[in-house]
Amino acid sequence: MFDGHGSVGHDCAIFCRNHLPGALAAAAAQGAGAGFHQAMTRAHVETNERLHKSDVDDTMSGTTSVSCVIRGKDLHIFNVGDSRAIIAHEAPTGGRLVAKALSYDQTPYRKDERERCKAAGARIMTMDQIDGLEPIHENFDTALGEELDEQGDPPRVWALDGDYPGCAFTRSFGDREGERIGVFAEPEITVHELTPDDRLVVLASDGVFEFLTNQQVIDLISDFPNDPLAACRKVVAESYQAWLQYEVRADDITIIIIKVHAGSIVSDPTRE
């Protein structure tokens, strides 16, 4: 799942969509054991290098990505940026679907990501701090997924010598200017062993989660237990209405739902 940004973000997303799956498949065929994740990381990095060398001008544009590879009962999540993967399992009592994060947004809200980019030469500031409207601080820590960013002015990654590139994420494909100060395409990898209680996996762009927590997304999907396409449309509609309520624009909104049963994938991904 790819979410482009910048003037040619759409082209960056299409390029990576066309190249990363093949690179992941080749890496999966070659890698085994401890080398599997190394091979998958290399596939992401090589896709990023191919984007740099392509006709797409990714100087100030790029795309985030979240993807999954299923090997046996293990679900491997590869996250680059602030799109997100979550899984829903059935609670022992009551049958309610409960959300669990499978990825953790790579943004300056995270202290470890802030420090990594600062070590590469970045400044971490909000737009108001850049404009002198807010004191300089780093009181940014927010548990995204469980909490929402209610300020509307996220911390961003800036070069030391100018007010650019202003990335609100700390990893991506493309973004060559950001890459100089730590914004790179190496994925963060998590592994989840599928269980009989797991019901569905969700991959979605940050536009879905701007005004909805992980659990709220799963609650919306729960209303359509046998119709993942209708569930996708419901989440998209709720996300879009929230954007119209709180902002003068709407971000990219993409969601993929993968139904799970008895530890095995039983249906094709559905996308709206």
Side-chain angles (χ1 to χ4, degrees):
M1 202 286 302
F2 302 93
D3 181 14
H5 51 261
S7 60
V8 294
H10 183 69
D11 296 326
C12 293
I14 290 175
F15 182 94
C16 292
R17 180 202 65 186
N18 291 342
H19 290 86
L20 182 61
L24 291 177
Q30 297 173 6
F36 173 65
H37 285 171
Q38 294 177 354
M40 303 304 266
T41 296
R42 187 166 58 252
H44 284 75
V45 172
E46 290 175 353
T47 298
N48 188 51
E49 292 172 351
R50 293 182 69 177
L51 175 59
H52 289 337
K53 296 176 182 177
S54 73
D55 294 333
V56 179
D57 181 4
D58 66 350
T59 305
M60 296 284 284
S61 297
T63 182
T64 60
S65 166
V66 62
S67 53
C68 66
V69 173
I70 301 150
R71 288 165 65 94
K73 289 188 176 182
D74 287 337
L75 180 66
H76 301 258
I77 299 295
F78 305 92
N79 188 42
V80 179
D82 57 3
S83 291
R84 192 178 302 171
I86 57 178
I87 194 166
H89 65 270
E90 188 172 318
T93 58
R96 183 190 183 212
L97 292 184
V98 178
K100 175 186 175 182
L102 294 178
S103 67
Y104 302 92
D105 299 6
Q106 297 144 358
T107 76
Y109 281 113
R110 280 175 47 175
K111 183 177 180 180
D112 59 339
E113 288 292 286
R114 289 200 304 271
E115 295 302 321
R116 183 180 61 77
C117 289
K118 285 164 61 179
R123 296 180 295 159
I124 306 297
M125 304 170 69
T126 66
M127 288 291 294
D128 281 351
Q129 287 176 329
I130 286 284
D131 294 336
L133 302 176
E134 181 184 2
I136 302 300
H137 65 79
E138 286 197 10
N139 301 324
F140 300 131
D141 294 343
T142 300
L144 296 177
E146 299 176 5
E147 302 174 343
L148 298 176
D149 168 27
E150 297 180 349
Q151 302 302 316
D153 185 20
R156 297 174 180 271
V157 181
W158 308 92
L160 292 177
D161 59 353
D163 296 345
Y164 67 95
C167 299
F169 42 83
T170 54
R171 304 192 192 200
S172 71
F173 291 93
D175 293 297
R176 277 184 291 168
E177 285 294 340
E179 195 170 60
R180 297 191 302 109
I181 49 177
V183 181
F184 60 17
E186 291 185 16
E188 200 165 44
I189 303 172
T190 55
V191 181
H192 174 80
E193 182 178 350
L194 293 168
T195 74
D197 294 326
D198 291 329
R199 291 292 176 264
L200 56 90
V201 175
V202 175
L203 308 179
S205 66
D206 65 319
V208 169
F209 296 106
E210 183 74 16
F211 302 107
L212 296 173
T213 65
N214 293 347
Q215 187 60 53
Q216 287 173 326
V217 169
I218 295 303
D219 289 342
L220 289 170
I221 294 172
S222 298
D223 292 336
F224 305 89
N226 300 312
D227 193 343
L229 179 57
C232 284
R233 288 173 171 160
K234 178 64 174 180
V235 173
V236 168
E238 290 290 329
S239 301
Y240 183 64
Q241 287 300 316
W243 275 98
L244 295 184
Q245 180 178 352
Y246 294 106
E247 298 285 349
V248 295
R249 66 179 185 91
D251 198 1
D252 298 335
I253 299 172
T254 300
I255 181 170
I256 299 171
I257 297 175
I258 306 170
K259 293 186 67 176
V260 178
H261 177 67
S264 300
I265 300 299
V266 297
S267 69
D268 293 332
T270 301
R271 174 174 173 172
E272 170 64 11

